[in-house]
Amino acid sequence: MKKKFLGWILFLITICNGQYVGAQELLTNVYGRQYTFLNGKWNVIIDPYQQGRRTSIYKNRPLRNKADFKEYEFEGGLRLNVPSDWNSQLPELKYYEGTVWYARKFKVNKNQDENLFLYFGAVSYRCRVYLNGKEIGSHEGGFTPFQFNITDLIIEGENFLAVEVNNTRTVDAIPALSFDWWNYGGITRDVMLVHTPKVYISNYFIQLDKYKPDYIHAILQLSERKAGQKVRIEIPELKIASEVQTDGQGIAKTSFRAKNLERWSPQKPKLYQVTVSSATDHVKENIGFRNLSVKGTKIYLNDAPIFMKGISFHEEIAQRQGRAFSEQDAVALLSEAKELGANLVRLAHYPQNEYIVRLAEKMGIMLWEEIPIWQGIDFKNAGTRMKAQRMYTEMVMRDRNRCALAFWGVANETAPSEARNAFLKSLVEHCHEMDTTRLITAAFDLPKLNPETKAFEMNDSFIEELDVVSINKYMGWYHAWPSDPSEVCWNVAPGKPLIFSEFGGEALYGQSGDSTVTSSWSEEYQEKLFRDNLEMFNNVKNLAGISPWILFDFRSPYRFHPTNQEGWNRKGLISDQGFRKKAWYVMKEFYNNK
Ligand code: GCB
């Protein structure tokens, strides 16, 4: 009885917190530490009725005697690749939404002088993790990393790891019940064993001052929350070596001048090798430095206004009909963005894998990153708010050293209400606590034509919280043109920079038709639609950037048209087979001349 009561208390704490228990504060820069991958073929059991937990299949117990038997076995059954989604690996899992158990063994030689972390780049959407037959924690959210310190849980030699993954859509989740992309399930990013010394550098944040061109701020946290520990930050190329001591929380803060610093920009994405070390730990990575701010209706990068030449993509390789997860995938996606002439990628609509983020920075592409607060979110639910805050933390903590990150997006297409305002305001405040060097934005689909002023206007007080306001508006697709595009006026967020974060329309690659008929789904229609929108943008006084929707056709189960869509959103400038549509050339020319 007592046990049951305790179980309930734990359950209630979990629910009230709106999050699963167990996952711990993230290590900064796991790829810069000593690690081994647990990627590869994992054994799986598909569990649509969710019976595995009841029968404790994660214990993988051996048979005890002649009369014993079990109705499951991981070995010798189905196997799936990790990382990857399950939907693209087995035809019967294409539409699957439910539970799949993943399991594998791994060997360790225990080392008394180190900590061992089990790190997941992402698991979609929720999971429970079991090590050697015991639940060690859980996580919710399909696009952000999490980790467990397993130092005291591993055994010498062979260990058995099981992960119960579930991608059922629920009303309190983020995203919630419906969204315009494929609900891929699985262990979709790298799984790693990360080694650190006993006392280690748990996280650090090193960036240029928001305004000063040569002033770097650094903050480091050691795992031991004790004063007087020495830490060192070195940037050899700049002849910088700064030494500081921790406070009682194990935190060390410092700022220093960097003479002859060359700032990062899309034209010259300069990165410096930075080393952070303590008495016992030593971590290295490449970091870039730049100033980013807003003055009036302009966005400034370093000392000059910059126009955001954006493009979006989902974390998907269309030809494989599955999630992108590798460095090679990142090359494929970002090279096409670069080829288009983009200087900004909006990672739609969720944090994408770290390969993409790091490569974009090397290639000189700025990034907009957001968590999947995409329409239909249960803003009144305190648990959902907690989840959003945790996802935010995981995203910002993973990527705040990437100077390419220009925007944190707080929401996509939400309608004003008291509950929404409070929810999103709490996210903006939370974001400011972790990082003040990025611009905060949100995308709105609310602007309406005011028949009196003949301009599109928007009434949403939440924009006061934002540095930059973004608009998703599908003129010529979901919205008929009210007049000639050259006459359509915009008066949205007049004192702030405005980005058109989505515009476009669908075309089936290779289909020609009448450029004036929407339902032709033709490349000619899409091409004209792009020309018309670009014409309209001339009338937007506070225009600071545009980002068409979208670079590649992508899979979406609510795209029903039997011949033109077949389960694909066809707004891509590039088809599912990798061919450029006519509209691609219109955008390319526009970006070249801008
Ligand atoms: C939007 C959404 C995006 C959709 C797009 C569309 O406004 O933000 O996720 O995919 O429209 O194609 O309808």
Side-chain angles (χ1 to χ4, degrees):
M1 182 64 201
K2 204 169 157 200
K3 216 168 157 195
K4 220 170 172 184
F5 179 72
L6 274 175
W8 263 105
I9 297 278
L10 201 64
F11 175 72
L12 283 175
I13 292 173
T14 308
I15 296 295
C16 296
N17 277 342
Q19 66 185 59
Y20 285 86
V21 283
Q24 297 141 1
E25 198 186 306
L26 282 176
L27 279 173
T28 299
N29 183 20
V30 282
Y31 291 94
R33 317 236 176 189
Q34 190 201 333
Y35 64 83
T36 38
F37 281 125
L38 292 184
N39 294 342
K41 297 268 181 212
W42 286 47
N43 298 107
V44 300
I45 291 174
I46 302 169
D47 181 10
Y49 290 5
Q50 298 182 30
Q51 288 302 299
R53 188 169 156 82
R54 194 180 57 80
T55 49
S56 309
I57 66 174
Y58 52 87
K59 292 196 171 147
N60 202 33
R61 63 172 178 82
L63 296 181
R64 285 162 298 209
N65 52 47
K66 273 189 175 174
D68 198 8
F69 73 101
K70 51 184 186 183
E71 291 189 273
Y72 71 88
E73 194 62 76
F74 281 104
E75 299 281 333
L78 282 174
R79 301 215 294 170
L80 289 177
N81 287 320
V82 170
S84 183
D85 59 89
W86 62 55
N87 315 68
S88 62
Q89 296 192 61
L90 284 178
E92 57 271 41
L93 292 180
K94 178 172 173 183
Y95 292 101
Y96 185 67
E97 295 185 315
T99 295
V100 173
W101 290 83
Y102 284 72
R104 67 162 288 156
K105 292 179 176 154
F106 64 92
K107 283 201 172 119
V108 282
N109 297 321
K110 281 186 107 169
N111 178 346
Q112 299 309 323
D113 301 327
E114 66 173 29
N115 279 302
L116 194 63
F117 292 90
L118 174 62
Y119 177 92
F120 292 86
V123 175
S124 181
Y125 166 81
R126 54 180 78 73
C127 67
R128 290 195 184 99
V129 180
Y130 309 84
L131 186 60
N132 299 322
K134 285 202 193 86
E135 183 172 346
I136 62 167
S138 43
H139 183 261
E140 178 170 351
F143 306 99
T144 46
F146 54 97
Q147 69 185 31
F148 306 98
N149 187 337
I150 55 169
T151 315
D152 300 330
L153 305 171
I154 39 164
I155 46 183
E156 182 68 26
E158 194 161 82
N159 289 262
F160 179 74
L161 175 63
V163 187
E164 177 190 3
V165 185
N166 178 286
N167 70 335
T168 309
R169 286 169 292 114
T170 60
V171 72
D172 62 340
I174 305 172
L177 287 177
S178 122
F179 38 92
D180 187 19
W181 66 86
W182 207 268
N183 182 22
Y184 290 112
I187 303 181
T188 49
R189 295 189 193 154
D190 289 335
V191 185
M192 294 148 86
L193 286 176
V194 185
H195 304 252
T196 72
K198 271 281 169 233
V199 178
Y200 57 94
I201 300 166
S202 49
N203 65 69
Y204 55 85
F205 181 32
I206 303 170
Q207 286 282 278
L208 196 59
D209 186 85
K210 197 168 175 66
Y211 304 104
K212 293 181 193 150
D214 58 354
Y215 203 53
I216 294 175
H217 301 291
I219 174 161
L220 276 87
Q221 165 89 63
L222 289 192
S223 60
E224 198 164 50
R225 317 230 146 170
K226 201 174 84 182
Q229 306 173 83
K230 267 195 209 145
V231 298
R232 218 175 139 80
I233 299 144
E234 285 166 275
I235 312 178
E237 204 182 324
L238 292 171
K239 300 195 172 57
I240 286 170
S242 170
E243 211 167 85
V244 239
Q245 299 209 348
T246 57
D247 63 14
Q249 292 304 307
I251 295 174
K253 279 189 203 162
T254 179
S255 300
F256 41 84
R257 231 165 253 298
K259 263 212 260 156
N260 305 323
L261 175 79
E262 194 183 324
R263 285 175 291 178
W264 183 97
S265 71
Q267 295 75 28
K268 196 147 187 239
K270 171 74 186 160
L271 299 177
Y272 289 92
Q273 194 184 93
V274 178
T275 310
V276 290
S277 44
S278 65
T280 50
D281 200 6
H282 187 88
V283 190
K284 240 196 329 220
E285 71 171 315
N286 291 333
I287 295 186
F289 300 98
R290 53 101 188 98
N291 307 109
L292 184 70
S293 64
V294 158
K295 286 184 205 153
T297 59
K298 299 244 180 304
I299 298 171
Y300 276 72
L301 179 70
N302 301 330
D303 306 319
I306 183 161
F307 186 80
M308 297 291 162
K309 302 193 247 180
I311 192 65
S312 291
F313 53 68
H314 276 285
E315 189 188 39
E316 183 183 71
I317 297 295
Q319 291 90 331
R320 203 169 60 216
Q321 304 195 16
R323 278 262 171 257
F325 46 73
S326 66
E327 202 158 8
Q328 284 73 7
D329 291 344
V331 172
L333 297 170
L334 289 165
S335 320
E336 281 293 351
K338 194 82 188 167
E339 199 47 46
L340 186 72
N343 63 13
L344 169 77
V345 167
R346 177 180 179 209
L347 298 172
H349 281 296
Y350 37 79
Q352 300 191 8
N353 65 66
E354 216 176 324
Y355 295 114
I356 295 177
V357 174
R358 286 182 181 262
L359 183 64
E361 178 160 81
K362 272 195 215 153
M363 291 171 69
I365 297 176
M366 290 176 281
L367 294 170
W368 159 331
E369 209 168 22
E370 60 196 26
I371 61 167
I373 299 207
W374 190 94
Q375 300 177 6
I377 297 293
D378 189 1
F379 288 122
K380 292 195 174 133
N381 187 330
T384 305
R385 190 195 290 199
M386 292 294 290
K387 283 178 207 173
Q389 294 205 344
R390 192 174 35 74
M391 284 183 198
Y392 240 99
T393 310
E394 289 162 350
M395 169 177 80
V396 175
M397 295 305 272
R398 191 192 73 176
D399 289 338
R400 62 184 181 164
N401 285 313
R402 303 280 69 78
C403 73
L405 246 149
F407 299 96
W408 299 126
V410 280
N412 184 70
E413 302 185 345
T414 59
S417 72
E418 243 173 67
R420 193 255 355 217
N421 293 355
F423 188 113
L424 295 188
K425 208 169 160 209
S426 77
L427 286 187
V428 173
E429 283 163 5
H430 183 54
C431 209
H432 280 147
E433 281 162 21
M434 293 180 284
D435 170 29
T436 52
T437 68
R438 267 78 192 192
L439 306 178
I440 296 195
T441 190
F444 301 89
D445 60 346
L446 305 167
K448 297 227 161 26
L449 187 68
N450 179 338
E452 277 161 31
T453 61
K454 298 210 165 24
F456 277 92
E457 292 167 7
M458 183 173 86
N459 194 359
D460 190 337
S461 62
F462 180 67
I463 65 171
E464 293 314 320
E465 309 295 328
L466 305 172
D467 299 306
V468 173
V469 175
S470 301
I471 297 300
N472 298 346
K473 198 72 179 177
Y474 287 84
M475 298 304 297
W477 188 253
Y478 299 129
H479 311 281
W481 290 101
S483 55
D484 190 81
S486 63
E487 288 161 9
V488 176
C489 293
W490 284 80
N491 188 19
V492 170
K496 289 181 183 264
L498 186 74
I499 292 182
F500 274 77
S501 39
E502 289 181 28
F503 66 95
E506 301 205 14
L508 183 65
Y509 171 73
Q511 183 149 297
S512 20
D514 191 329
S515 66
T516 61
V517 178
T518 314
S519 63
S520 69
W521 301 79
S522 65
E523 285 193 52
E524 286 79 4
Y525 185 82
Q526 192 194 34
E527 181 188 27
K528 178 160 184 325
L529 177 148
F530 267 78
R531 288 198 196 287
D532 288 347
N533 274 276
L534 294 178
E535 167 104 58
M536 174 185 79
F537 294 143
N538 291 327
N539 305 337
V540 186
K541 287 203 197 83
N542 52 341
L543 191 72
I546 60 173
S547 183
W549 190 253
I550 186 170
L551 189 52
F552 307 98
D553 286 354
F554 62 95
R555 294 175 78 211
S556 171
Y558 75 66
R559 300 295 166 177
F560 305 133
H561 195 283
T563 54
N564 294 316
Q565 294 181 307
E566 300 173 274
W568 289 83
N569 182 317
R570 298 283 184 202
K571 294 192 187 70
L573 294 173
I574 300 178
S575 79
D576 57 325
Q577 298 300 305
F579 293 108
R580 292 170 183 164
K581 303 181 193 172
K582 287 186 167 34
W584 185 92
Y585 296 91
V586 177
M587 273 319 299
K588 166 87 178 162
E589 193 191 354
F590 180 81
Y591 280 165
N592 270 357
N593 296 335
K594 193 80 192 164

